[in-house]
Every structure is written in C-alpha cells, then in structure tokens.
Amino acid sequence: MQKPQAIIFDLDGVLTDTSEYHYQAWKHLADDEGIPFTHEENDAHLRGVGRRESLMYLLKGRSVSASQLTEMMERKNRYYNELIKQMTPNEVIEGGRELLQEIRDAGIKTAVASASKNCMVVLERLELVRYFDGIADGYSVVHGKPAPDVFVYAAGTVHVPVSACLGVEDADAGIESIKAAGMVALGIGPKERFQRADKVLSTLARHRLQDMLD
Ligand code: B16
Ligand code: MG
C-alpha cells in the first residue's frame, strides 16, 4: 500500500496483551455467577467487544435486572483494574516502542482507537502516551465497534482524512469498524479470524513499518 498519513492502533491485543486480563476478569465474574465460560468463547465472542455487549453474551439468556447488569459490569471492571494496576512498561509487545518511534520518524501520525474506558490507564502504565498524536477511547464515542465512529474520531484527532489512514486491529469487530470508516485494515492474529482485513500479520511484535505496508 501507499505510505499512509496516519496509522491508528487498537490497544488491547495489538500493542499489549490486555485481552488476556479482560478474559481473566470475565472468567472471575462467570465463576462468581456459576456460568461456564472458556478461553475459546472469549476469543470468538468477546475479543474487542464493549463491556455491556460482552456481559450480554456471558449471561447466555439468563434474565437479570438493570441494576444487576450495572453491578456485574462494575464488578468485572474492578477485577480488570486489579490486574492492570500491576502492569509495567515491559508489557508493551516486543519491539512496539521502536516501531511507534519508526512510524513517527517517517512523518506518519499515530493515534489510538480503543473501545476501552481503561485505555488511558493502560497507556500510562505502559508509558506509551507520548508516542501518540491522538487518542480515542471508550469515552470518545457513543457507538462502539463494529460502528466506524471510534476510528473516524481518532482520524479527526490527527487531522488526517480517513482515506489516508491505516487501521490496525486484533478483533474482527474492529476490522469491520476500520472498513466502515473507509480505511485500509491490518488484522493482527490468525488469518481465519478476519473477514475483511486487507492484510494480516500473526503479531505486531518484532515488526518494522515496512512489514505493515507490504
Ligand atoms: P473496558 P480495544 C476493548 O479494547 C477490549 O478488547 C475488550 O475486551 C473490552 O471489553 C472493551 O475494550 C471495553 O473495555 O471494559 O475496559 O471499557 O481492543 O478496543 O482496545
Ligand atoms: Mg483489541
């Protein structure tokens, strides 16, 4: 592809493996409630999906009141925060910092487009904030992935038209969001996970800018 003017990164599962922490927090809640829940289900149904939608999947049709729903979302978030408060800058993917610096040195803008309301905490724990020209997170837009809004918002933060942006995502819902925004999409993970990615890499670790563009 042509050199993009901006590269917009999803956070969880792309720049760091917080997706495992999200899984552990959901698993804790599922165990509390006596609901069976596996790693495979997490990968297939919850990856990159917002908090409320994730809980709706986890409940598997059990009927609960609105206040119970809120309490469960808060409980999962407490469990997740317990896990991420231990994070250190070592949990950035291998070579991630160097890759972000290389992108910036090439004159390409960098932004984050995360569904997470904990995005800033994670970026701060990882000491990554200074590598981004713009940040869009779970507080930035109303409609989450697969709606295009968070990627469009992120492009706006760096003043680059969507057609000149490359979006990077580990979740199929995120790839749908990138394509709906009118961007080129790079999927991170196994090829079978993605329906509409323009290119797929199994991981972003140990890669250079050129590997993302070839
Ligand atoms: P929170 P991303 C997503 O972040 C996660 O992949 C997903 O597992 C999580 O449910 C969602 O954020 C909401 O997160 O509960 O922290 O607000 O992959 O878009 O960076
Ligand atoms: Mg993700």
Side-chain angles (χ1 to χ4, degrees):
M1 72 172 290
Q2 266 191 318
K3 184 175 138 180
Q5 289 174 35
I7 301 185
I8 303 185
F9 292 88
D10 171 54
L11 177 63
D12 297 325
V14 168
L15 293 169
T16 184
D17 201 13
T18 29
S19 7
E20 181 58 28
Y21 296 142
H22 277 293
Y23 164 69
Q24 287 176 21
W26 284 124
K27 178 70 179 153
H28 194 162
L29 179 74
D31 288 350
D32 290 349
E33 299 297 320
I35 302 171
F37 180 59
T38 64
H39 220 287
E40 290 67 35
E41 282 180 281
N42 183 76
D43 248 31
H45 301 283
L46 265 57
R47 180 176 286 274
V49 172
R51 206 180 296 173
R52 180 173 293 271
E53 293 80 356
S54 297
L55 178 58
M56 295 318 286
Y57 172 83
L58 194 87
L59 289 171
K60 297 172 180 162
R62 288 168 176 77
S63 80
V64 291
S65 68
S67 63
Q68 284 172 310
L69 276 182
T70 305
E71 184 281 319
M72 285 183 198
M73 286 191 287
E74 286 171 0
R75 194 169 1 136
K76 182 269 175 179
N77 196 45
R78 273 204 312 279
Y79 294 151
Y80 181 66
N81 274 272
E82 278 300 310
L83 294 165
I84 61 173
K85 80 175 185 213
Q86 328 273 354
M87 285 183 87
T88 71
N90 284 337
E91 289 181 65
V92 178
I93 53 159
E94 192 184 338
R97 228 176 278 281
E98 293 77 4
L99 177 64
L100 289 167
Q101 192 58 53
E102 184 191 1
I103 293 169
R104 294 169 66 84
D105 291 346
I108 299 171
K109 298 277 187 203
T110 53
V112 170
S114 170
S116 177
K117 292 190 161 125
N118 295 293
C119 173
M120 279 313 295
V121 178
V122 172
L123 287 174
E124 277 161 12
R125 301 289 317 162
L126 297 174
E127 296 178 8
L128 277 186
V129 177
R130 70 184 180 87
Y131 291 89
F132 294 102
D133 302 297
I135 294 170
D137 66 10
Y139 292 105
S140 304
V141 297
V142 173
H143 301 293
K145 303 167 186 179
D149 307 31
V150 70
F151 278 91
V152 174
Y153 186 103
T157 64
V158 294
H159 310 291
V160 172
V162 287
S163 58
C165 293
L166 169 66
V168 190
E169 255 291 347
D170 69 312
D172 194 41
I175 293 290
E176 290 300 318
S177 174
I178 293 169
K179 295 309 292 179
M183 300 178 184
V184 177
L186 170 61
I188 304 298
K191 272 204 167 63
E192 318 77 70
R193 187 184 289 162
F194 307 106
Q195 309 288 318
R196 292 172 68 205
D198 296 291
K199 178 184 169 80
V200 175
L201 291 172
S202 61
T203 170
L204 200 53
R206 299 172 298 280
H207 279 297
R208 305 293 304 269
L209 170 60
Q210 197 54 46
D211 305 327
M212 302 173 74
L213 307 181
D214 283 341

